[in-house]
Amino acid sequence: MYTYENKIWWKRFFFIAALLIGAFSLWYTDSLVKVLASEEDKKIKLWANATRLLIKGEGDINFLLDIAKDNTTIPIILIDDKGNINATKNLDSTHVSDTAYLMEQLEIMKEQHEPIKILYDETNNRFNYLYYKNSFILSQLKSYPIIQLTLIAFFALLSYFTLSASRRAEQNQVWVGMSKETAHQLGTPISSLKEWINLLRETEKENQEELLVELDNDVRRLELITERFSKIGSDPVLKPENLDLVIENSLLYLNARTSSKVDLSVSILKPGNWANINIPLFDWVIENLCKNAIDAMEGKGKIVVQLNHDEKHVYIDITDNGKGIPKSKFKTVFKPGFTTKKRGWGLGLSLVKRIVESYHNGTIYVRHSELGKGTTFRIVLQVE
Ligand SMILES: Nc1ncnc2c1ncn2[C@@H]1O[C@H](COP(=O)(O)OP(=O)(O)OP(=O)(O)O)[C@@H](O)[C@H]1O
Ligand SMILES: [Mg+2]
């Protein structure tokens, strides 16, 4: 089954794999850079030596000229001991007559490498200085992996966000579509059931009243479920309601269906908690939160729904004394698919969050939780 935990592991796996690929490609180009740099170093030393011999007029002149010509990639500036530029090589040919350009190049060369001293006149101890910088290929190779990885990371992030936005839109469509379809499918058997009940009521008058009341209750419950699904599938109408009453009714309903070992109560800190809500959907929220609380306490314990408000907000705190939620999971519990239960779908809280945030413009979060002691979920709505 594709669960939230699986998703987290896949995300970690891809993240680590991407880091490893990035690190490997950096390491690999770095080793290429090192090889190329040492080749260039050897080449420039050979060139310096050939230049020295040429200036001194020693050795086979043709051979030395060949070596001197051989360097077609490494930019060079040769300076005498008075600071005059004697020769340049492999610099931008359109600018070599421009002194400012040459000085700028010289600065770059000074930053990159120590100059090579060429002793050409031993008796007068006269030197030339050979300044050089990395060839175009070497400097490209040095910056290439960084540019490449930055671009790849940028596109990966962009596609991740685009994909998750489109996936969210798709999820929305599925939520809405499935809910509408469920409501629609339930409609027909419910109206037919109602007709059957009417028929029974007319024909079997005696001894059947108890059974008919129960049937009526079940049909009403089915209608409520259908209403919830149809509300989730369309824009629900919100009305100003007194939450004190709504929650009291909701808990009354739940109390009748929960074990007597669970104590459900309302505590109204400041009466008159009015907000714009849709009752069937809001009941669903309270029902889901209380069901989770009951599961967390393994059958026995206390649930308190506390209501309070200030000038702008209504606060609904649902507190249980169950097993608690670790701090690291305060946000995760709302993700679809996250569950710690054998038979859970991990959908309850994501539905709750959806109803509170998308349909009621409110917020819901874990306000407080302590392992082994209990949990408080808080819903905040705007005051009507
Ligand atoms: N009051 C609570 N106390 C402790 N843990 C909670 C509480 N409410 C939720 N949880 C944790 O959050 C998880 C997700 O809850 P959610 O309602 O989304 O799914 P579920 O209850 O596991 O399954 P479903 O509601 O789909 O049947 C739960 O499995 C549980 O671990
Ligand atoms: Mg649940």
Side-chain angles (χ1 to χ4, degrees):
M1 196 175 70
Y2 185 70
T3 62
Y4 181 76
E5 293 292 319
N6 275 340
K7 191 170 137 184
I8 293 274
W9 280 110
W10 276 114
K11 269 193 185 167
R12 282 185 193 156
F13 171 76
F14 282 124
F15 185 67
I16 291 171
L19 279 187
L20 286 179
I21 292 171
F24 175 76
S25 101
L26 282 180
W27 169 82
Y28 186 67
T29 34
D30 189 55
S31 55
L32 286 183
V33 163
K34 280 190 182 135
V35 171
L36 198 64
S38 104
E39 287 297 315
E40 292 199 348
D41 219 44
K42 276 189 214 151
K43 209 169 171 183
I44 205 72
K45 283 189 178 131
L46 195 67
W47 198 86
N49 217 7
T51 312
R52 185 175 61 87
L53 292 173
L54 273 174
I55 299 173
K56 284 172 81 177
E58 290 172 4
D60 175 349
I61 189 109
N62 284 332
F63 179 61
L64 290 173
L65 277 173
D66 272 352
I67 293 178
K69 268 192 238 148
D70 199 32
N71 171 25
T72 53
T73 51
I74 309 166
I76 279 167
I77 295 178
L78 193 66
I79 287 187
D80 67 14
D81 39 12
K82 292 201 184 75
N84 301 316
I85 294 177
N86 271 354
T88 64
K89 202 163 170 30
N90 301 328
L91 285 171
D92 185 353
S93 58
T94 51
H95 287 102
V96 276
S97 50
D98 177 359
T99 332
Y101 168 75
L102 289 179
M103 286 302 129
E104 186 192 307
Q105 290 301 309
L106 194 63
E107 283 310 309
I108 298 173
M109 291 176 180
K110 279 181 184 167
E111 264 168 38
Q112 284 189 5
H113 302 281
E114 282 290 307
I116 299 176
K117 275 174 143 187
I118 302 177
L119 179 64
Y120 65 91
D121 181 354
E122 276 138 23
T123 42
N124 296 317
N125 206 23
R126 300 198 66 180
F127 288 97
N128 265 354
Y129 294 90
L130 177 68
Y131 287 91
Y132 64 105
K133 67 172 192 175
N134 296 336
S135 69
F136 179 72
I137 303 174
L138 183 56
S139 37
Q140 289 291 300
L141 196 60
K142 267 187 167 173
S143 51
Y144 175 71
I146 295 163
I147 297 171
Q148 188 195 33
L149 288 179
T150 318
L151 274 178
I152 292 176
F154 173 74
F155 274 105
L157 279 180
L158 193 70
S159 31
Y160 175 78
F161 285 120
T162 321
L163 279 181
S164 26
S166 80
R167 205 192 47 202
R168 224 169 299 134
E170 222 169 75
Q171 275 176 359
N172 273 349
Q173 257 182 343
V174 175
W175 269 106
V176 170
M178 283 293 286
S179 309
K180 267 188 186 162
E181 180 61 16
T182 311
H184 178 73
Q185 296 255 348
L186 279 170
T188 325
I190 290 174
S191 13
S192 137
L193 263 180
K194 273 175 151 173
E195 288 309 311
W196 284 116
I197 293 171
N198 282 343
L199 194 71
L200 267 179
R201 199 160 260 142
E202 277 160 23
T203 52
E204 307 267 341
K205 284 207 172 76
E206 276 140 51
N207 308 327
Q208 299 298 337
E209 205 35 49
E210 212 176 313
L211 180 137
L212 285 168
V213 168
E214 283 308 313
L215 272 177
D216 264 341
N217 281 342
D218 283 338
V219 167
R220 230 169 279 139
R221 175 79 188 154
L222 275 173
E223 276 179 326
L224 178 69
I225 293 171
T226 314
E227 197 181 354
R228 284 175 176 176
F229 277 109
S230 84
K231 293 272 151 63
I232 272 276
S234 58
D235 267 348
V237 181
L238 305 184
K239 273 202 234 142
E241 305 280 358
N242 185 350
L243 283 166
D244 304 359
L245 300 178
V246 174
I247 295 211
E248 230 157 271
N249 276 337
S250 180
L251 291 199
L252 217 60
Y253 173 84
L254 281 172
N255 233 335
R257 281 156 187 81
T258 338
S259 127
S260 56
K261 288 180 193 153
V262 177
D263 179 30
L264 273 156
S265 60
V266 194
S267 146
I268 299 171
L269 289 189
K270 218 199 251 176
N273 295 286
W274 286 78
N276 275 321
I277 60 161
N278 178 280
I279 294 184
L281 287 185
F282 208 76
D283 274 346
W284 207 358
V285 167
I286 301 298
E287 202 178 301
N288 262 308
L289 290 171
C290 290
K291 268 191 195 158
N292 278 348
I294 294 165
D295 289 344
M297 59 183 57
E298 287 159 2
K300 189 168 180 267
K302 215 169 140 52
I303 300 170
V304 182
V305 182
Q306 195 185 69
L307 286 152
N308 200 1
H309 66 273
D310 55 24
E311 276 163 26
K312 286 189 174 159
H313 300 109
V314 175
Y315 304 95
I316 306 150
D317 288 353
I318 299 99
T319 304
D320 65 62
N321 60 353
K323 64 182 163 77
I325 302 171
K327 212 170 171 98
S328 62
K329 296 279 184 284
F330 278 16
K331 286 211 165 113
T332 317
V333 290
F334 293 102
K335 304 267 186 204
F338 175 81
T339 181
T340 53
K341 299 171 194 168
K342 253 191 182 164
R343 296 212 178 122
W345 287 103
L347 285 182
L349 284 179
S350 61
L351 178 77
V352 162
K353 193 175 173 70
R354 201 181 162 79
I355 295 176
V356 171
E357 297 188 349
S358 306
Y359 297 103
H360 288 87
N361 216 2
T363 43
I364 177 163
Y365 54 92
V366 179
R367 187 183 182 205
H368 177 78
S369 187
E370 222 177 309
L371 288 179
K373 294 230 169 117
T375 306
T376 302
F377 279 88
R378 168 165 273 198
I379 301 172
V380 185
L381 298 175
Q382 326 273 353
V383 161
E384 187 271 315

